[in-house]
Amino acid sequence: MADRVIARLVVAAIRGGSGKTVLTLGMVRALRRRGLAVAPFKKGPDYIDAAWLAFAAGADCGNLDPYLVPAERLRAAFSARSGPADLALVEGNRGVFDGVDAAGTYSTAELAKLLGAPVVLVLDCAKMTRTAAAVVQGVRHFDPDLSVGGVILNRTGGARHVRVLRDAVERYGGLPVLGAFPRLDADPLPMRHLGVTPLAEHPEADRALDRLAEAVAERVDLDGLLELAQGAGPFDPGAGEARPWAASGRPGGGLRIGVARDAAFNFYYPENLQALEDGGAELVFLDLAADRRLPDIDLLYIGGGFPETQGERLARNAELMERLRRRVAAGLPVYAECGGLMYLGRRIEWRGRTFPMLGVIDWDFVLEGRPQGHGYSRLRVERPTPFYAPGEEISGHEFHYSRPVPLQPKAGERLACRVLRGSGFDGERDGLCRGTVFGTYTHVHALGQPAWAARLLRAAREARHAAASGSSA
């Protein structure tokens, strides 16, 4: 593919918790209200910010993670998803240079360089004036290959505070100030765990984003941001494949894949769902708390989320649970990640309450006050599973507060994977299997695991053939 111009910009910060997400969401919604098409992206394995960005832009948000996705595929996917958009806007994560090691591997800065995208730095200015210039100067000179094009001052005080900050940053930091955003009396997107409250649980998401957009449009130089993005120049997507799973063909023709997508389970990469559809499958979305009947499906995919916050509603849906138990016992394949894994267990314990779950695996899941697993993960498959063969490796990420508690193992239940990186169930094992059920704390990205969708579709087709053979016998 020939080089083409993509107006692109990375929003970064000095550290997590600087207000970068709130400002980025306000920018996206404000630009959309101007009539511009924004292609949103989130750096890192983040579902919550990505869901908010997608909602703000009215377009799917792509996750750009150099650990999960090889560089050549990442560039190709970025180019393809940017499509006809007026602007590709990438929200970074953590501090701009923070990666997995002292060299900053997989950091926001490394991603910005890979994309050839200029960076606008969001700077938390609470209790700071001239020191802000030293911080900006340090960021500018720390990595000469990183293009930092401007600064947005965040959590500022009164007019005098803003004036001193702006003068210092522009005079000594050497960068233009593209906006000054004040401390807010109330957080429009309250924090929970390590990020903002999930979109599905915010009662007034649209109004909150519109208020943010109005505030950003008033205080941030959107024209200056657009000019910076438009100066990024041509983008070479390279020779990578934006849809590497296409080599597997369409093994899912005629198959129906159930996807639990509701307030409890909503952590899905768009590429994962796209890979299943590209493979020929029809996706059937389910609400495990509200639906009473189980549609005719060949496999159930339950992604991550926060089933504990919806525990009472999930537990009350005994009718659907019983139908699911019968289907699983009859051989329905189930692929479950993190929150979906918890749903498969006997019960969830959270804040002194206990919620009975599906009970197809003999484990309880207890929610703790601190993360029990957080970061990139890698597993080696050591025993047969419905989806992966022994010897294969699975790379992904995990983020969970739940602690699995084993009960009396059911017949044929096993932990099939060795943890090479991360926490898994106990720091050593992950990948719980029982019959056609596989549950793991590791979330995978189809761009990094291009055979993933074909594996699910193959298991679904085998289960359909087995059911047909059984019914005709």
Side-chain angles (χ1 to χ4, degrees):
M1 186 184 298
D3 292 8
R4 64 188 181 92
V5 174
I6 298 176
R8 55 198 186 275
L9 188 66
V10 172
V11 182
I14 300 301
R15 58 173 176 79
S18 296
K20 168 177 47 59
T21 297
V22 167
L23 273 167
T24 305
L25 289 171
M27 291 178 215
V28 171
R29 179 57 70 95
L31 291 167
R32 184 183 175 193
R33 284 161 62 115
R34 280 191 174 192
L36 298 176
V38 181
F41 295 89
K42 173 65 184 180
K43 188 271 175 185
D46 185 299
Y47 294 105
I48 298 175
D49 289 358
W52 276 102
L53 286 164
F55 188 66
D60 280 346
C61 178
N63 285 78
L64 302 174
D65 192 288
Y67 175 84
L68 299 179
V69 181
E72 65 276 9
R73 288 184 203 149
L74 189 149
R75 289 175 62 86
F78 173 77
S79 179
R81 194 170 285 282
S82 296
D86 298 298
L87 170 70
L89 192 60
V90 183
E91 184 199 350
N93 74 335
R94 303 180 67 189
V96 60
F97 298 113
D98 296 335
V100 298
D101 53 28
T105 306
Y106 309 131
S107 67
T108 295
E110 294 304 308
L111 175 64
K113 291 190 293 183
L114 181 66
L115 299 177
V119 170
V120 60
L121 190 67
V122 174
L123 188 61
D124 184 350
C125 298
K127 301 180 181 179
M128 182 165 59
T129 53
R130 189 170 186 257
T131 302
V135 174
V136 171
Q137 191 179 91
V139 171
R140 281 189 64 209
H141 295 294
F142 187 77
D143 183 351
D145 294 327
L146 181 68
S147 173
V148 185
V151 178
I152 296 176
L153 309 174
N154 194 30
R155 293 174 182 156
T156 60
R160 181 181 179 279
H161 188 215
V162 172
R163 186 172 62 253
V164 174
L165 281 166
R166 185 185 295 271
D167 187 25
V169 167
E170 292 187 339
R171 185 189 306 182
Y172 302 108
L175 288 177
V177 171
L178 298 175
F181 205 74
R183 288 187 294 267
L184 300 177
D185 294 333
D187 193 340
L189 306 175
M191 300 290 287
R192 194 182 75 198
H193 293 332
L194 297 184
V196 298
T197 298
L199 174 66
E201 297 180 37
H202 196 293
E204 296 184 321
D206 236 352
R207 288 186 59 192
L209 287 178
D210 282 340
R211 287 196 296 267
L212 270 178
E214 290 165 6
V216 165
E218 181 181 345
R219 297 173 174 88
V220 174
D221 181 1
L222 295 177
D223 290 327
L225 291 174
L226 285 170
E227 184 179 350
L228 181 61
Q230 289 162 352
F235 181 79
D236 177 11
E241 296 177 273
R243 296 185 178 185
W245 50 78
S248 301
R250 294 175 63 83
L255 296 175
R256 289 163 56 87
I257 305 299
V259 180
R261 190 164 70 176
D262 48 41
F265 309 103
N266 44 64
F267 290 0
Y268 297 98
Y269 293 123
E271 292 84 358
N272 287 26
L273 302 182
Q274 183 180 63
L276 292 170
E277 288 187 306
D278 285 354
E282 175 190 356
L283 301 187
V284 181
F285 295 104
L286 294 81
D287 185 330
L288 296 185
D291 293 344
R292 293 295 182 262
R293 303 190 64 82
L294 183 65
D296 180 22
I297 56 175
D298 301 293
L299 178 142
L300 178 60
Y301 175 25
I302 318 178
F306 296 108
E308 66 274 18
T309 67
Q310 308 297 316
E312 187 172 349
R313 295 182 64 233
L314 290 168
R316 278 204 310 261
N317 197 356
E319 184 177 352
L320 181 68
M321 281 189 174
E322 184 52 36
R323 293 177 188 274
L324 259 177
R325 290 187 194 103
R326 290 201 298 266
R327 285 294 311 278
V328 171
L332 176 71
V334 179
Y335 191 98
E337 294 176 331
C338 200
L341 166 67
M342 294 163 61
Y343 180 73
L344 300 180
R346 189 185 69 166
R347 63 186 184 184
I348 293 174
E349 296 182 17
W350 182 57
R351 294 183 177 177
R353 301 187 66 187
T354 299
F355 306 108
M357 292 290 113
L358 198 59
V360 299
I361 59 174
D362 215 11
W363 293 71
D364 286 348
F365 293 89
V366 180
L367 274 295
E368 302 290 358
R370 297 175 130 190
Q372 303 299 293
H374 181 212
Y376 296 128
S377 59
R378 192 167 75 256
L379 311 177
R380 178 186 294 127
V381 182
E382 296 187 336
R383 303 175 70 180
T385 80
F387 305 100
Y388 302 99
E392 294 184 76
E393 291 194 4
I394 308 168
S395 292
H397 74 98
E398 60 180 340
F399 174 39
H400 59 98
Y401 281 72
S402 66
R403 174 173 55 86
V405 179
L407 305 172
Q408 182 63 37
K410 293 183 182 293
E413 201 169 273
R414 62 192 181 277
L415 288 168
C417 302
R418 172 73 58 186
V419 173
L420 304 180
R421 179 191 180 110
S423 300
F425 273 60
D426 56 7
E428 295 184 359
R429 312 291 297 182
D430 198 345
L432 182 64
C433 296
R434 180 170 182 254
T436 55
V437 171
F438 179 80
T440 175
Y441 275 118
T442 286
H443 300 266
V444 300
H445 195 298
L447 278 172
Q449 302 279 152
W452 172 84
R455 296 177 190 284
L456 268 64
L457 297 175
R458 182 188 62 214
R461 185 164 297 286
E462 289 173 354
R464 171 180 279 199
H465 289 163
S469 299
S471 63
S472 61

